Amino acid sequence: MRKLAILFVATFWSLLVYSQEDIPNVIVKDLQGKKVNIQNVIAEKPLVVLTFWASWCKPCHQELNSIADLYEEWNEETGVEVVAISIDDSRASGKVKSLVAGNDWPFIVLLDENADLKRALNITNVPFLLLFKNGKIVHKHVGYTPGSEMELFEIIKKNTK
């Protein structure tokens, strides 16, 4: 009985770890309403930052604006792509489009209106940031404080080697 319990715990733990390491097969939408498989978005680039945000979240806006200010430099130096995933539901997607247009964010913005991707990655709070290298999660960060974008850039640079 004890061996069975250990086997169960080991299996559960390995499934939990596996689910946190890989990007799930989830469909989200772009700002024009076109369906996009997030696996394809991640697989196309060697280094991708997924940042989850909401239109009502001020720290999210601060983080995205800070990244936007540095994005061109980051992309040229490391080739990193940033993909901002809005967790707003379909009723608030109009706000998302106007926020993106008003802030002139230079990165891809996708909509997770049904929260499928958020649930698949066990994300409970925003802003929440994931760094993927070759399709695997190599860094996670919850919350935003001014200057944390520079810490992120150092982590991005370490992962380009």
Coordinates of all heavy atoms in Angstrom, one line a residue, residues 21 65 83 94 139:
E21 N 6.0 23.2 -17.2 CA 7.1 23.4 -18.0 C 6.8 23.7 -19.5 O 7.5 24.4 -20.2 CB 8.0 22.2 -18.0 CG 8.6 22.0 -16.6 CD 9.6 23.0 -16.2 OE1 10.3 23.5 -17.1 OE2 9.6 23.4 -15.0
N65 N 4.0 49.4 -20.3 CA 4.6 50.6 -20.8 C 6.1 50.6 -20.6 O 6.8 51.1 -21.5 CB 4.0 51.8 -20.1 CG 2.5 52.1 -20.6 OD1 2.2 51.8 -21.7 ND2 1.7 52.6 -19.7
V83 N 4.8 38.9 -26.0 CA 3.4 38.7 -26.3 C 2.6 39.0 -25.1 O 2.8 38.4 -24.0 CB 3.1 37.3 -26.8 CG1 1.6 37.1 -27.1 CG2 4.0 36.9 -28.0
G94 N -13.3 45.5 -26.0 CA -13.2 46.8 -26.7 C -12.3 47.7 -25.9 O -11.6 48.5 -26.6
H139 N 11.5 31.0 -16.7 CA 11.3 32.1 -15.7 C 9.9 32.5 -15.5 O 9.1 32.6 -16.5 CB 12.2 33.3 -16.0 CG 12.1 34.4 -15.1 ND1 12.6 34.4 -13.8 CD2 11.4 35.6 -15.2 CE1 12.3 35.5 -13.2 NE2 11.6 36.3 -14.0

